[in-house]
Structure formats: structure tokens, C-alpha cells
């Protein structure tokens, strides 16, 4: 079974938010909410500065606390590629999963259930990649099977330096940032 | 590429060229577009209009409802991917703040009190006033501000009426100085889309060009591509831009001193013999005089001016030389900064000439285009007067009309009165500096018509407001672009207009009929018009409708590939020393003038783009405003600390003339020099109808009461304003 | 300096997490309080004190059920997808404290009901004589009664512990990420319950006993808070930062003044004086303890949500 993940090249990302905009139109994310977002991480003192720009979203963790803490099983790991998703009509909106996510990747949809990035599973099931990956004007996002050594994502991780977000939280995030 | 079409490129005025041809068969409009009864997904190709880049796109209609829009993979501009604004473009269709019906003013101008009228009433009213202006002052007293391809037909109607005064802010408030600087040097301008070969550049120099925030799609894509390829990036900007974060060298220049910096760079390159000798010898004119003038501008001289250390100036000069001729010093686009902009742009052109990048891979390519004959219209009336914007060639090198020139003539009535403005898709209150002058000019008008999609600030002052269909609901003229490869693109309706909005071509045709100029519209509808032009060019309209784009054959775009090496300057060469300028009383080689400094305790106000907004036009787009609903003022972290300000606090900015801005959030950041502040342009709307954007953030335009006019070409340098920070109680 | 800018602006998430308002702290407090009440009731029953009709263990079960229901109602109010609440009871998720809690709540009611029938207060048996009948039947099985006492203590303990585990299982919030939290909430629940019972108890000896017990719980609570804090500040940077929220940061005034000062130390002093008969017993000290216990839950829930793995100014 495949293990899906994402690789994002921070060297190329310009933080344009196209990935955020498209997630809205593709997934009907309501006004005032974001499934993905941009972080600008600036270090140093003027003029000796460094900035990493990251497109962030649910990390589809391999060790997902949001799934463990869910009292109903609404939050679960999908058979397809280990994607973490929420079944809307099983969710009671207790928000435990929101509190459990160190990345604050989740939110309560105005209709009451917990919502977040689905890795565009509806597209993946049709053999397409996530919407955000497909529009990124700088082509800095990659998506695929991390457990396939020949996939683009695996090759990138083999050949480039990278990091993941807050690995010390023990969640085993599956989105990697090339530096 | 044949020389004929090269020369046509030089006359890139957008004027249609009459060619006789027969009218072909008329094809029907997309029948089901916007039909809520239709099920399933329709994909309709069109091109984007959230900015002027005109990216090819494919709109998705799901069960009759507009769903999303993606890039058209066939299109060389979008390369299959839109920028964030294009992706969010469907928000323009859904915008609840849209204009719905024609409006006629009920009270004083600017009070935004209207009555809704029918199109017939509105157009009769306009035609009537226009006829009066014509009989009283002559047709030249009507003028038009128009930005973008949408305005082509209204322009045609006004030309038929006899007007000669057409201007867009894209010249005197945007790229004009650059195009003049390059034309003076190479004999051709850079134009739009820029002929910059970013993707092949091995060294890319950005002087304030904030690619990545400036999201002109192909440029941003190529920028990332070249970064990914490991090109050496040098960024000169008082602000640590996104582009700066990708740079090998970031040079935080003191604002307004770029010319000093450029001269020092050229000094190093010439004195260290780092330039492309063969190229300069073969194609250059006046190099020796140029070289002699440069000798004074050492890096040591430039240091106190620019704040950039001599060793960095030298290091970066050598870095550029290392990659020549694939070293591209980007000419920028919005370059109307300090009033010496044409000369600064000329210095950039000269630096490129030293690198030998013009006509070379990784530098400036030679754009190509389809040979698309215009529609065979009757000839326009012969004007009896000169254009009003630039009397007596006051600005001798302006090769396009000057918006602010028309505005000035409207205020002064000289060289002749201007009594009518037709304003199409340009929000003059945000686009032109000094809004008082705009208001004064408007008060002298007998007629102000604004064609817009939302009740913008300029619409608020109009006598008649005409609601246009947004780009997703209309046909426009076909886009015959000058680019890397020839192509023609179609904009066609994806959905129906939700209310009584009409497309430009319809408005223009009806107005012409009201004016008794129906003979200028021999076609029944725009499809007949497009079909005619396509047929005349030997192309299939059906294919265009299906694919949205038709590509022509690849043609050479570099000298190496066989582009004829010609320079349309008086000397026929690259003019290192410009006799033209000398004869007109200007510096033949650019000279540095120190910029004016602000009152003590003030900060120079700089402004730029957010990747998710276009100028002042997208703040009510609910998708895009959800990305960013108000702008922030960037204040250097140490300065903010002095004022005891944190990010997120609100302040007001007060400029040197006492104008106080709306409240604006602070972004306390290391990413800007302490002597300036920065904000994204286009916010702080004051038009009441823009409910969603009303008084969100601050308007840079409102604070730009001062501007310095470029003596070469009439551009308005707008980085001339200084503000103090008023802490909100 | 590290400058961190995010474009995310999700309701209840940004600029800092605030998904849980008053409902959850109130619920957690009530959970702890009722847990303590159950333990006290269970203890009295186990010790055979129920034989005295005036024993406070007579009223506690009913009060407990009422108060706990109020707590559950608060919890219910917090749910965002209320129509689906029944989903809690279509599965049991072993890794989810929330699921454990749901089921614990289901079993504590019968336990409390059982303890209620051990010693039905007179005003009930007058109106519902059948209650006395059940009680009488029960009285015949001393062994059963002892077990009811034990079960109440056990389930009370579980309930109290669970209120802490609910938070400490959420490792994403460094402040909650402590192995002391269950003990803290349990002890705090016990001290609140002791204080509460102290007020409602009719018998002087019971009051005296509970005041003494409360003093003991308060002293233990101080130690547990100490251990909790030491645990934090000897851990990673983010944990230290989160502890600082309480010790010197924005939550410090409330924490020191209301939780530690007015909620533990002052009432402890008052009650020490009272049990040593230096001053008279008043409800002041127990009320302070109870309010302190409530505020403790508010502070921990709020500061916990504020604490973050990314050490940056969000
Ligand atoms: N202060 C300041 N001034 C500037 C600039 C700046 O950065 N700061 N930038 C300068 C530059 S580079 C440029 S290019 C110009 C741009 O200047 P403009 O082209 O004037 O840009 P906008 O201010 O967005 O005004 C566009 C108007 O067109 C309307 N519009 C949008 N779509 C349509 C449509 O489909 N049909 C019709 N009829 N109307 C439509 C919008 O609602 C809006 O009112 O501004 C220049 N002026
Ligand atoms: N998303 C988005 N993209 C756009 C547009 C849009 O509205 N939205 N508009 C398009 C249009 S029409 C244009 S013209 C372009 C404009 O975009 P550009 O031509 O790239 O940039 P400018 O607006 O001229 O300049 C803004 C940058 O110049 C820097 N700057 C200011 N003063 C100085 C100075 O004295 N020296 C130097 N070296 N740098 C300085 C600022 O810090 C800022 O980074 O963007 C285009 N792209
Ligand atoms: S679309 Fe691509 S370049 Fe733009 S912000 Fe997202 S990841 Fe970065
Ligand atoms: S990022 Fe958060 S929501 Fe996503 S799987 Fe990990 S813990 Fe769960
Ligand atoms: S909010 Fe929904 S998905 Fe999240 S833990 Fe509760 S029931 Fe599960
Ligand atoms: S993968 Fe899909 S759902 Fe997730 S952020 Fe990208 S577009 Fe949104
Ligand atoms: S650059 Fe963006 S906004 Fe402009 S035309 Fe292209 S997609 Fe549309
Ligand atoms: Mo522009």
C-alpha cells in the first residue's frame, strides 16, 4: 500500500498563495478558513537576513494524535495512502483533534464538523494529484508515494536536504520541505 | 522573423490595421454557458483579466454553476498554471458588490447618489452630452482613459467620433520611463509582456522588481525556474522582498539612489574591462564618451549615496560579468519612482548593453507575433488638433499619451479645453497621484462616464456609470500577443451576466449607433467580428473556440537564431552616448541627482504588490480578500520599538502635506530599512459601494500628494512622499 | 530575532488556539468535584458511616448526579455537531480519553444511584416510600454495600484522573503535556469536594474531618503543582516557555493570586487555624477552595491552548 506524502521546495516557493486560493475553489473551503497557508520564517538582523517560505497544511502524520484522540472514529487513516481524513457525519465536533494537532491544521467547519486538508483524496481517487500541487506556478510542490523509491518525491528526498515540521512532537509528519 | 512585422512591433499601439476581406460564416456563442439546467462539467477556454498579462485559462462550469478556473496548458503565458489572482478570478463573478445596472448621478459629483436607468436612457444621455461637447468644443475635447484589452471597442467608437486623446496609467504611472530609456538606447522598448528571457538567465539582477510578489505569471514562473536552476540572483531593494530571499546578493539600497549605484556598477565593469567587448565594439555608439563620463562614479563615490559598501559593489559587478551575456538586469515594470526614471532605466539599458544581453539568450529576446489583420473599418475622421496631453512636445520622448497630461489640460483648459472623460477599467483615484488634481479636473467636465464592474472610487464621481460584464461573461477582442512564440487567444463567455451588465463591445456598438456612427460597426456581434479577423488571417475560429488559443510557428528570437541585428536608433546602433538626448537638452549619459529628502522624523513611503491582489480592483473579490483583507505598513523593527509598536497595532500615516491615512496595521519587521516604510497598493477604499473593502487598510495613492514629473517623458515619480507615524490611541 | 508570519486566520485557531471556552473548564472542574464527592461518599459508605441517617453520604450522591449533569450539559454545549452526539456511543476508542470519558460518565451514574439507595435521605423516603424499601433490601447485604463504597471510590478516582488525562493526552499543547496533570486534577477535585462537603455536612465531626482532609489535600496539591512546574521547566524549551506562561507570563497574575494564593494558601491557613480551634469554622475557606479549583481549570485550559510547539510570537 502506498504511503502518500508531499515534498515542497522552499528554494522556489515564492509564497504567492495560489495553493491556498485553489484549495478554496476546489474544496469549497468557507470564507474565513484555510486548509493550507503560507508561513514566512525570517531569521537574522537587517540586512543579514534569511527567509524560508513554506506552504503548510495537515502533515498526514504517520503517528497522528488527532486520530488517536478522536472519541468516535470520525478522524481516521484512509486506506488509500495513509491519508488522515474526517468522516463528517461521525464527527461530534468535540475539538479534541484540533487540540491534539501540534500544527493547528484543523478547524471547525461552519457546518460543525472538524475539517482540514484531505490531500484532495477525491482527486487522488481519480488518479489526479492534489489541487494545490497542480496549480503552483513555481512548480515547487511535489506529491506522491514516499514508499516507492522511484517516485519523484522519494528521489527528491534522496538527493536534497530537507526537514519536516516539529518532528520532536513525535507525529511523524509526511510533508517535507527541501532547503 | 521578417522586418515588416518587426516594424509593426514598434508601432505596438494596438491600432488595428485595415485589410479588406470577406465576412465569413458566423458561429454561435457557447449555448449552454451559465445555464443552470445543464448537468455535468463543462470546460470553457478563455483568458484571464485580473491583470493585463492575459493568461490563457480554462473555466469549469459544474451543473451550470461557475466552479473554478485553471491555466490553459496550450498557452505560453500561463504555461497551464494561473497566478493566485487568476485562480481566485471567479470571485469577480460572484462579487456581491458588483454594479448591476446603469446609473445616472442624482446629486453633486462624488456624493455617490444614483438612480438606476435603462441602458437606452444611459447611452442616450451620454450620446447627447458627447454631441454637445463636439459641437461646442470639437471632438478632441472628449478624452478617454482606458486600461486593458477590454477597452478596444469603446476606443474604436471614440475614434470614430473624432477623439484623439486616449491614455492609460500603464505609461506615465508605470512602465513608460523604462520603455523610453530602452528605446533611447536600443531603439525598441521592452513592452508587455516583457521580452526578458528570465528562464535562461544565469545571473538575474532585480532592481526593485519584486517578482514573486509582483505575480505577472510567466515572469514569476520563469523566476522560480531560474532560481531552481541555480542562477545567481542579485536583488537591489530597500526592502527584503521575496525575491531578495532567493538572492545570492541582497543589497539594501537607500531609496532613490539606484542611478548612483548603476553608474558605479558600470564604472567597475568598464574600468575592469569586464564588459562584452566584441558586442560593444560591433553594435555600440559613443562608447568612448560614455566611458569618459563614467570615470567619476567609483564605488567609493557611490557608497555614501547608496549605503552599499564598495567591496559589495565590486563583487556584484564581477558576478554579473561572470555570466554575460546571460546576465539579465531586469528593467522593472512599475518604474515611476523619482522623476529621473527614464534616465535610470536608460542606465539599466546601458548596463545590459555592457553585458551584451540584448538579443541574446538569457537576456532580452526578440518577441514574435501572429500576422493578424485588423478589421476593415472606415477611416476615422482627420483630427484638426494635436493631442492634448503633451503640448508642444513638452516631454519630447513620450511615445504614448500621458494620463496626467490629459488631467492637467482638463484643469487648465490648455492647450484646449477637455470637457468629457470616458473612463474604462481604470480607477483614477488609485492610479494617479494627487487625488485633488483629479477632483479639480473632474469639476471642469461636462461629462464623466465610467465603465466599471464594481462601484470604484472613480465611478463615485461619474455622471453615468455603466456596469460591464466581468471577463468571465463576455467576449473581448482577440489577444494577438508579442511573445516568445506567436499566438492568438480568445476570451469568450463562460457564464451569463447575473444582472443587467453588458460587455464592452455591446456598449461600444450601441453608443456608436446613438452617435450616428453605426457605419463603424458593420458587424452584427463580436463573434462575427472575430470570425472575420480569424478568417482573414487564415485561421479557424472554431478551433480557437475549442482550444482558446492557436499557436503559430516558432520563429527565431535571438540574434544567434537569425534575428536580424538592427537597432532603430538614430545611429542604428546601441547608443551609449545619446545625441538625441543631447540635442533635446538632456544628459546624453545619465547623471545622478541626489533625491530630495524628507522632513526630519519622516519615512519615505514605498509601495508595491501583494501576490493575491491586483491594484485596487480585487479587494471586494471575496476569495482574494479572504487571502488578505487589509494591507499593513512595514516598519523597521528597531523603529517600531522606538514607537513602542508591535505587529498588529494600528497606526495612521500622515504625509508631508498633512494628509492622514485610514488606520493601518503595523508589520514590525527586519525586512525593511529604517528610513522608509512600505505598504501594498490598492487598499483603503473610500467608495461606499465597495462594502467589503470600505476603509480596510490604507491607500498609498491618497498619501501620494507629491510627484516629480520625468522631463523626458512625463512619467510621474511617486516615491516622493514622506510620512510620519501617528500612533492610534 | 525570529520573525514568523502566517497567512492562516482560522476562527478559534488563530492567532492562538481558543477552541475551548468556559464549557470545558467548567466541565473539568465539575468532573473533579463530583469525582471527589464520589470518593468521599464511597469512603463513608465503606466505613459504615451511612448507618447514621444524618451522614452527609446521604445527600452527596444526588447532589453529585445533579452537578455532574450540569457538567455534562456544559460539555454538550461545547460540541459543535450536536446532532451527532450519539456517535460517542457507537464505538469505544481505546486510545481516546474522550471516549473513555464518555463511557465513564455512563457508568458513574448507576454507581452514584446505588450509593444513593444505601442511605436515602428522609425527605425522599417520606415522599417515595419505595425508596426506603430498596434501601432496606440493600442493608441486608452488607457485603454489597461495602462494594458500592469501593466502586464509588474507584469510579470517582477514574473520573477525577480522566479529567486530567483528557488534557495531558493532547501532547500538542506543551503545558498539558505533563504526567502530573491527572494527579493535580484529582487532588484538586478532592480538595474541592472536601470543601464542598464541609459546607453541606450537617454533623460537626464530619465537618471537622473534612476540613482536616481538605487541609491534607491542599498541602498535597501544593506539592503536585510544584512537581508539575518542575517537570515542565526541566523539559524542552517549549515546555519551559509554556510553564513560564503560568510563572511569569500573561497567566501568572491569575495563577499566583487566585489559584495558589486565594485558592490554596489562604484557605489552608484559615482552615488550619479553624481545625486547631483558633478561629471558628466559616464557609469562607471552602468557598475560596472551590473557586480556586474552578479557576485552576480555567487557567490550565486557557494557558494550555495558548502554549505552542512553535516557539514564536503567533
Ligand atoms: N499609488 C499608486 N498608484 C499606482 C500604482 C501603485 O502601485 N501605487 N501602480 C501604477 C501601475 S503600475 C499601474 S499599471 C496602474 C494601474 O491602474 P489601473 O489600471 O487603474 O488599476 P486599478 O486601480 O485596479 O483600476 C482598475 C479599475 O478597473 C475596474 N475593472 C476591473 N475589471 C474590469 C472589467 O472587466 N471591466 C471594466 N470596465 N472595469 C473593470 C476595477 O474595478 C477598477 O476600478 O496604477 C498605477 N498607479
Ligand atoms: N500580484 C500582482 N502582481 C502584479 C500586479 C498586481 O497588481 N498584483 N501589477 C503588475 C503591474 S501592472 C506592474 S507595473 C508590476 C509592478 O511591480 P514591479 O515592477 O516589480 O515593482 P514596483 O511596484 O516598481 O516596485 C516595488 C518594489 O520596489 C521596491 N522599491 C521601492 N523604492 C525603491 C528604490 O528606490 N530602489 C529600489 N531598488 N527598489 C525600490 C519596493 O521595496 C518593492 O519591493 O507588477 C505587476 N504584477
Ligand atoms: S502556490 Fe507554490 S509558490 Fe505559491 S505559495 Fe503555494 S507552494 Fe509557494
Ligand atoms: S498534521 Fe495534525 S491533523 Fe494532520 S495528521 Fe498530523 S496531527 Fe493530525
Ligand atoms: S471533533 Fe470530530 S473528528 Fe475531531 S476528535 Fe471530535 S469527533 Fe473526532
Ligand atoms: S491537498 Fe487539497 S485539500 Fe490539501 S491543501 Fe492541497 S488543495 Fe487543499
Ligand atoms: S498574471 Fe495572474 S491575474 Fe494576470 S492574467 Fe495571468 S493569471 Fe490572470
Ligand atoms: Mo503597471
Amino acid at each position: 500500500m502506498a504511503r502518500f506524502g508531499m515534498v515542497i521546495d522552499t528554494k522556489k516557493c515564492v509564497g504567492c498563495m495560489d495553493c491556498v486560493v485553489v484549495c478554496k475553489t476546489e474544496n469549497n473551503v468557507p470564507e474565513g478558513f484555510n486548509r493550507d497557508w503560507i508561513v514566512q520564517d525570517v531569521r537574522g538582523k537587517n540586512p543579514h537576513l534569511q527567509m524560508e517560505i513554506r506552504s503548510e497544511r495537515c502533515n498526514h502524520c504517520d503517528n497522528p494524535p488527532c486520530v488517536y484522540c478522536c472519541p468516535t472514529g470520525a478522524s481516521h487513516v484512509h486506506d488509500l495512502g495513509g491519508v488522515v481524513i474526517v468522516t463528517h457525519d461521525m464527527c461530534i465536533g468535540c475539538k479534541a483533534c484540533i487540540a491534539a494537532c501540534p500544527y493547528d491544521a484543523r478547524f471547525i467547519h461552519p457546518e460543525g464538523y472538524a475539517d482540514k486538508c484531505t490531500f484532495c483524496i477525491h482527486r487522488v481517487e481519480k488518479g489526479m494529484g492534489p489541487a494545490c500541487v497542480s496549480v503552483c506556478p513555481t512548480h515547487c510542490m511535489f506529491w506522491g508515494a514516499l514508499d516507492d523509491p522511484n517516485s519523484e518525491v522519494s528521489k527528491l528526498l534522496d538527493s536534497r536536504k530537507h526537514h519536516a515540521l516539529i518532528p520532536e512532537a513525535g507525529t511523524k509528519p509526511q510533508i517535507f520541505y527541501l532547503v | 522573423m521578417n522586418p515588416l512585422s518587426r516594424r509593426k512591433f514598434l508601432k505596438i499601439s494596438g491600432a488595428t490595421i485595415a485589410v479588406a476581406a470577406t465576412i465569413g460564416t458566423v458561429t454561435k456563442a457557447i449555448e449552454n454557458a451559465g445555464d443552470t439546467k445543464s448537468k455535468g462539467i463543462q470546460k470553457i477556454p478563455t483568458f484571464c483579466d485580473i491583470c493585463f498579462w492575459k493568461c490563457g485559462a480554462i473555466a469549469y462550469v459544474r451543473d451550470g454553476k461557475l466552479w473554478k478556473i485553471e491555466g490553459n496548458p496550450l498557452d505560453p503565458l500561463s504555461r497551464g498554471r494561473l497566478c493566485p489572482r487568476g485562480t481566485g478570478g471567479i470571485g469577480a463573478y460572484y462579487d456581491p458588490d458588483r454594479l448591476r445596472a446603469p446609473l445616472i448621478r442624482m446629486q453633486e459629483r462624488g456624493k455617490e447618489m444614483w438612480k438606476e436607468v435603462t441602458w437606452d436612457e444611459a447611452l442616450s444621455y451620454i450620446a447627447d452630452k458627447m454631441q454637445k461637447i463636439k459641437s461646442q468644443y470639437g471632438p478632441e475635447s472628449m478624452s478617454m482613459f482606458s486600461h486593458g484589452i477590454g477597452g478596444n471597442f469603446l476606443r474604436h467608437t471614440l475614434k470614430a467620433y473624432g477623439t484623439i486623446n486616449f491614455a492609460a496609467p500603464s505609461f506615465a504611472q508605470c512602465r513608460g520611463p523604462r520603455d523610453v530609456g530602452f528605446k533611447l538606447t536600443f531603439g525598441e522598448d521592452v513592452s508587455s509582456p516583457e521580452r526578458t528571457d528570465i528562464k535562461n538567465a544565469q545571473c538575474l539582477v532585480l532592481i526593485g522588481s519584486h517578482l514573486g510578489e509582483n505575480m505577472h505569471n510567466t515572469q514569476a514562473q520563469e523566476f522560480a525556474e531560474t532560481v531552481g536552476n541555480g542562477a545567481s540572483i542579485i536583488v537591489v531593494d530597500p526592502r527584503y522582498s521575496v525575491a531578495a530571499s532567493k538572492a545570492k546578493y541582497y543589497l539594501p539600497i537607500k531609496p532613490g539612489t539606484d542611478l548612483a549605484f548603476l553608474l558605479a556598477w558600470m564604472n567597475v565593469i568598464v574600468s575592469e574591462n569586464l564588459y562584452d567587448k566584441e558586442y560593444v565594439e560591433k553594435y555600440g555608439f559613443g562608447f568612448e564618451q560614455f566611458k569618459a563620463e563614467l570615470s567619476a562614479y567609483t564605488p567609493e563615490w557611490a557608497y555614501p549615496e547608496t549605503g552599499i559598501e564598495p567591496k559589495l559593489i565590486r563583487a556584484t559587478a564581477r558576478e554579473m560579468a561572470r555570466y554575460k551575456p546571460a546576465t539579465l538586469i531586469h528593467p522593472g515594470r512599475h518604474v515611476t519612482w523619482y522623476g529621473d526614471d527614464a534616465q535610470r532605466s536608460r542606465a539599466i539599458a546601458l548596463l545590459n548593453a555592457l553585458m551584451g544581453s540584448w538579443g541574446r539568450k538569457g537576456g532580452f529576446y526578440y518577441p514574435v507575433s501572429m500576422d493578424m489583420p485588423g478589421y476593415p473599418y472606415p477611416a476615422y475622421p482627420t483630427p484638426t488638433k494635436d493631442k492634448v496631453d503633451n503640448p508642444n512636445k513638452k516631454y519630447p520622448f513620450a511615445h504614448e499619451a500621458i494620463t496626467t497630461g490629459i488631467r492637467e489640460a482638463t484643469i487648465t483648459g490648455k492647450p484646449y479645453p477637455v470637457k468629457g472623460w470616458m473612463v474604462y477599467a481604470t480607477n483614477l483615484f488609485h492610479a494617479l497621484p494627487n487625488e485633488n488634481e483629479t477632483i479639480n479636473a473632474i469639476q471642469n467636465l461636462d461629462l464623466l462616464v465610467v465603465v466599471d464592474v464594481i462601484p470604484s472610487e472613480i465611478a463615485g464621481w461619474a455622471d453615468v456609470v455603466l456596469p460591464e460584464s466581468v471577463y468571465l461573461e463576455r467576449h473581448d477582442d482577440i489577444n494577438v500577443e508579442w511573445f516568445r512564440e506567436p499566438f492568438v487567444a480568445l476570451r469568450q463567455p463562460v457564464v451569463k451576466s447575473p444582472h443587467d451588465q453588458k460587455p464592452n463591445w455591446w456598449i461600444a456598438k450601441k453608443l456608436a449607433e446613438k452617435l450616428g456612427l453605426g457605419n463603424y460597426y458593420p458587424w452584427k456581434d463580436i463573434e462575427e467580428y472575430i470570425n472575420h479577423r480569424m478568417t482573414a488571417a487564415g485561421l479557424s475560429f472554431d478551433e480557437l473556440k475549442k482550444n482558446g488559443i492557436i499557436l503559430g510557428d516558432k520563429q527565431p528570437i535571438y540574434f544567434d537564431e537569425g534575428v536580424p541585428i538592427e537597432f532603430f536608433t538614430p545611429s542604428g546602433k546601441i547608443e551609449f552616448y545619446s545625441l538625441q538626448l543631447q540635442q533635446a537638452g538632456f544628459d546624453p549619459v545619465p547623471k545622478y541627482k541626489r533625491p530630495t529628502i524628507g522632513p526630519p522624523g519622516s519615512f519615505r513611503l514605498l509601495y508595491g504588490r501583494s501576490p493575491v491582489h491586483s491594484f485596487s480592483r480585487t479587494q471586494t473579490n471575496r476569495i482574494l480578500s479572504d487571502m488578505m483583507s487589509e494591507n499593513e505598513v512595514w516598519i523597521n523593527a528597531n523603529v517600531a520599538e522606538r514607537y513602542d509598536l508591535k505587529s498588529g497595532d494600528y497606526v495612521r500615516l500622515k504625509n508631508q502635506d498633512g494628509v492622514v491615512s485610514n488606520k493601518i496595521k503595523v508589520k514590525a519587521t527586519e525586512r525593511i530599512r529604517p528610513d522608509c516604510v512600505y505598504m501594498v497598493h490598492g487598499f483603503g477604499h473610500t467608495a461606499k459601494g465597495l462594502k467589503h473593502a470600505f476603509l480596510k487598510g490604507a491607500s498609498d495613492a491618497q498619501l501620494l500628494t507629491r510627484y516629480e514629473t520625468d522631463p523626458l517623458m512625463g512619467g510621474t515619480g511617486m516615491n516622493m512622499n514622506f510620512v510620519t507615524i501617528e500612533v492610534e490611541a | 530575532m525570529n520573525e514568523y508570519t502566517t497567512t492562516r486566520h482560522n476562527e478559534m485557531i488563530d492567532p492562538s488556539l481558543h477552541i475551548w471556552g468556559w464549557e470545558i473548564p467548567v466541565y473539568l472542574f465539575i468532573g473533579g468535584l463530583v469525582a471527589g464527592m464520589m470518593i468521599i461518599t464511597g469512603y463513608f459508605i465503606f466505613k459504615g458511616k451511612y448507618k447514621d441517617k444524618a451522614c452527609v453520604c446521604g445527600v452527596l450522591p444526588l447532589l453529585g448526579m445533579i452537578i455532574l449533569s450540569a457538567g455534562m450539559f456544559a460539555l454538550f454545549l461545547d460540541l459543535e455537531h450536536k446532532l451527532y452526539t450519539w456517535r460517542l456511543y457507537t464505538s469505544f476508542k481505546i486510545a481516546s480519553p474522550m471516549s473513555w470519558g464518555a463511557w465513564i460518565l455512563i457508568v458513574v451514574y448507576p454507581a452514584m444511584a446505588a450509593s444513593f439507595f444505601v442511605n436515602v435521605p428522609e425527605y425522599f423516603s417520606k415522599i417515595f416510600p419505595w425508596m426506603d424499601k430498596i434501601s432496606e433490601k440493600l442493608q441486608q447485604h452488607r457485603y454489597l454495600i461495602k462494594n458500592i463504597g469501593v466502586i464509588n471510590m474507584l469510579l470517582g478516582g477514574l473520573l477525577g484522573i480522566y479529567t486530567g488525562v483528557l488534557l495531558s493526552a493532547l501532547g500538542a499543547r506543551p503545558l498539558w503535556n505533563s504526567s502530573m496533570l491527572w494527579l493535580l486534577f484529582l487532588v484538586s477535585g478532592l480538595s474541592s469536594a472536601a470543601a464542598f462537603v464541609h459546607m453541606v455536612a450537617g454533623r460537626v465531626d464530619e465537618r471537622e474531618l473534612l476540613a482536616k482532609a481538605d487541609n491534607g489535600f491542599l498541602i498535597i496539591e501544593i506539592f503536585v503543582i510544584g512537581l508539575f512546574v518542575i517537570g515542565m521547566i526541566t523539559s524542552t524549551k517549549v515546555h519551559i516557555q509554556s510553564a513560564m506562561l503560568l510563572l511569569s507570563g500573561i497567566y501568572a497574575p491569575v495563577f499566583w493570586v487566585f489559584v495558589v494564593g486565594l485558592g490554596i494558601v489562604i484557605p489552608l491557613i484559615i482552615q488550619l487555624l479553624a481545625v486547631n480551634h483558633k478561629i471558628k469554622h466559616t464557609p469562607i475557606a471552602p468557598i475560596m477552595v472551590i473557586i480556586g479549583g474552578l479557576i485552576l481549570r480555567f487557567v490550565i485550559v486557557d494557558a494550555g491552548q495558548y502554549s505552542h510547539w512553535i516557539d514564536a510570537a503567533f
Side-chain angles (χ1 to χ4, degrees), chain B residues 600-671:
Chain B
S602 68
F603 305 88
R604 192 182 287 275
L605 174 64
L606 307 180
Y607 50 84
R609 306 285 179 247
S610 152
V612 289
H613 283 284
S614 284
F615 319 108
S616 78
R617 55 162 61 194
T618 45
Q619 288 75 22
T620 57
N621 175 319
R622 300 301 198 265
I623 298 174
L624 295 177
S625 69
D626 203 13
M627 301 294 116
M628 176 187 184
S629 57
E630 59 184 285
N631 57 355
E632 299 171 313
V633 57
W634 295 41
I635 300 176
N636 174 277
N638 292 336
V639 174
E641 208 178 298
R642 251 199 285 129
Y643 282 80
D644 202 15
L645 288 169
K646 293 185 309 299
S647 288
D649 292 349
Y650 279 97
V651 295
R652 287 177 198 272
L653 302 176
K654 183 175 178 182
N655 82 355
Q656 68 283 328
D657 298 319
V659 175
V660 180
S661 77
N662 187 35
K663 68 183 170 62
I664 179 169
K665 256 189 197 163
V666 169
K667 177 186 170 89
T669 177
E670 292 290 339
R671 291 177 59 192

Side-chain angles (χ1 to χ4, degrees), chain C residues 36-50:
Chain C
M37 287 162 71
M38 286 177 76
I39 293 172
I40 292 168
T41 313
Y43 175 77
F44 281 159
I45 291 175
F46 184 75
K47 281 281 179 190
K49 299 254 166 80
Y50 64 91

Side-chain angles (χ1 to χ4, degrees), chain B residues 85 174 207-210 213-216 236-239 253 255-256 258 332-334 337-338 606-611 613-615 678 719:
Chain B
R85 300 165 295 154
C174 177
I207 300 169
S209 242
H210 55 334
E213 291 158 288
N214 157 355
M215 276 309 286
H216 269 166
V236 185
D237 198 312
R239 185 182 64 100
I253 196 167
D258 298 80
R333 183 174 174 112
H334 169 258
W337 291 349
Y338 300 99
L606 307 180
Y607 50 84
R609 306 285 179 247
S610 152
H613 283 284
S614 284
F615 319 108
Y678 173 86
N719 290 11

